């Protein structure tokens, strides 16, 4: 039985094709019947801040209004953090500071907002970094601390090193591919422990990365990202139907056992267990 607890991991700028070719541990979970794999088409513009908001609220940029990375304000939508808290669940995040600016405080105050432990905030337990090269290994260690010490019902984890290396070296580089391998290793070291604790797992990305070392456009490389789901509520098979990114938030609500917001689209993702 599901414990209605969820860890959502959004790996910034992870392309679908590179995830399939270089994430050996995640594919192992699929082959062993422990996870499902999907291909997701992101919203556009395929930029980070707009798509953080899309993933966490289930609304497109034209609705939520975060249409570029330079828009710094709190979200006007009901996010997964708000909905989980309203349902009596505890929330946490180990993430880039833009997530804090969307849901806890904007603008980010670098001197005091890195560690946020506030039961009245949408993200009750937040550990936020503000440099793109901040090591993913440190971030996953912080996520493990949140699991061990705060025992959240909903934990959001957002590593940035894949995006950072993609911008520095392009998606067609040894560095980008090796970074995806390194991220897969971090998942191998952490996911089994979290799954043993009863957490459902979502691993996805906000957008992809091009051979020009950028993103924001309408190409497959810009928009197509992976989705891995480890949950008894989802059949553990490879799904070949492309899924809209607007499905991520209602999917998370389904796994958490909470009601979605009225702004979210109906949950139509294939492979759900009745």
């Amino acid at each position: 039985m599901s414990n209605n607890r969820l860890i959502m991991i959004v790996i910034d700028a992870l392309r679908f094709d590179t995830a399939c070719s270089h994430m050996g541990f995640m594919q192992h979970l699929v082959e062993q019947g422990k996870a499902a794999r999907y291909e997701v088409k992101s919203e556009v513009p395929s930029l980070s801040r707009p798509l953080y908001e899309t993933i966490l609220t289930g609304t497109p940029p034209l609705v939520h209004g975060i249409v570029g990375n330079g828009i710094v304000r709190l979200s006007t939508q009901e996010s997964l953090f708000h909905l989980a808290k309203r349902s009596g669940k505890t929330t946490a995040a180990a993430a880039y500071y833009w997530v804090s600016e969307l849901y806890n405080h904007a603008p980010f105050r670098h001197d005091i907002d890195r560690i946020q432990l506030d039961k009245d905030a949408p993200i009750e337990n937040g550990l936020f970094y503000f440099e793109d090269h901040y090591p993913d290994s440190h971030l996953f260690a912080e996520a493990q601390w949140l699991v061990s010490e705060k025992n959240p019902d909903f934990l959001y984890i957002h590593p940035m090193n894949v995006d950072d290396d993609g911008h520095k070296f392009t998606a067609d580089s040894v560095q980008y591919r090796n970074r995806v391998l390194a991220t897969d290793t971090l998942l191998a070291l952490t996911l089994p422990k979290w799954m043993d604790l009863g957490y459902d797992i979502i691993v996805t990305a906000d957008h992809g990365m091009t051979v020009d070392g950028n993103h924001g456009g309408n190409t497959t490389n810009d928009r197509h990202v992976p989705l891995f789901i480890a949950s008894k509520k989802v059949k553990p098979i490879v799904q070949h139907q492309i899924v809209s990114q607007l499905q991520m938030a209602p999917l998370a609500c389904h796994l958490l056992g909470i009601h979605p917001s009225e702004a979210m689209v109906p949950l139509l993702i294939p492979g759900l267990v009745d």
Side-chain angles (χ1 to χ4, degrees):
M1 293 293 292
S2 171
N3 292 325
N4 293 329
R5 303 169 76 207
L6 174 64
I7 294 177
M8 173 183 276
I9 303 167
V10 176
I11 301 169
D12 209 287
L14 176 61
R15 280 170 44 155
F16 174 75
D17 57 351
T18 313
C20 292
S21 61
H22 282 68
M23 300 196 90
F25 173 72
M26 296 308 300
Q27 182 59 32
H28 178 61
L29 290 181
V30 175
E31 292 182 1
Q32 292 297 309
K34 300 297 183 182
R37 193 187 80 198
Y38 298 77
E39 183 173 357
V40 171
K41 186 176 183 180
S42 82
E43 291 293 296
V44 281
S46 48
L47 297 170
S48 293
R49 198 188 296 253
L51 299 185
Y52 303 164
E53 175 78 334
T54 289
I55 289 169
L56 286 162
T57 69
T59 57
L62 199 59
V63 171
H64 60 61
I66 306 294
V67 294
N69 286 339
I71 297 177
V72 180
R73 62 162 172 79
L74 287 173
S75 171
T76 61
Q77 305 297 307
E78 290 184 299
S79 74
L80 293 173
F81 300 112
H82 294 89
L83 296 170
K85 281 202 67 176
R86 187 180 305 157
S87 298
K89 294 182 179 293
T90 55
T91 62
Y96 195 56
Y97 74 103
W98 288 0
V99 176
S100 172
E101 289 183 325
L102 282 168
Y103 308 111
N104 272 15
H105 187 274
F108 187 82
R109 301 163 297 185
H110 291 70
D111 53 343
I112 60 175
D113 283 348
R114 172 150 161 68
I115 300 173
Q116 300 180 42
L117 305 176
D118 182 357
K119 291 185 178 180
D120 294 326
I123 305 173
E124 299 172 75
N125 303 291
L127 302 177
F128 300 102
Y129 63 97
F130 46 83
E131 293 179 329
D132 292 13
H133 61 274
Y134 184 76
D136 287 354
S137 58
H138 291 39
L139 185 73
F140 274 85
E142 290 165 356
Q144 178 58 52
W145 183 87
L146 288 168
V147 170
S148 300
E149 299 300 320
K150 297 301 179 180
N151 193 32
D153 297 304
F154 174 53
L155 170 61
Y156 178 85
I157 304 172
H158 172 230
M160 184 66 80
N161 290 171
V162 172
D163 181 80
D164 190 41
D165 280 353
H167 285 303
K168 290 175 178 175
F169 305 108
T170 84
D172 187 20
S173 67
V174 171
Q175 292 87 346
Y176 179 83
R177 291 187 290 271
N178 281 347
R179 183 61 66 185
V180 174
L181 286 170
T183 303
D184 185 66
T185 297
L186 290 172
L187 295 171
L189 294 172
T190 51
L191 292 197
K193 294 185 291 186
W194 296 341
M195 292 163 68
D196 285 345
L197 292 173
Y199 280 101
D200 286 344
I201 305 291
I202 289 175
V203 177
T204 189
D206 49 351
H207 52 71
M209 180 66 65
T210 71
V211 295
D212 296 329
N214 218 327
H215 53 85
N218 189 37
T219 70
T220 297
N221 292 340
D222 283 288
R223 298 186 69 179
H224 286 231
V225 300
L227 169 64
F228 297 94
I229 309 170
S231 170
K232 293 182 179 179
K233 295 182 179 180
V234 179
K235 296 176 183 177
I237 59 175
V238 174
Q239 293 282 353
H240 297 288
Q241 177 181 338
I242 296 175
V243 174
S244 166
Q245 195 171 51
L246 296 176
Q247 291 287 304
M248 297 304 98
L251 169 64
C253 289
H254 177 69
L255 299 182
L256 283 166
I258 63 178
H259 293 294
S261 74
E262 293 184 0
M264 293 179 187
V265 299
L267 180 59
L268 299 174
I269 191 168
L272 298 180
V273 176
D274 294 331

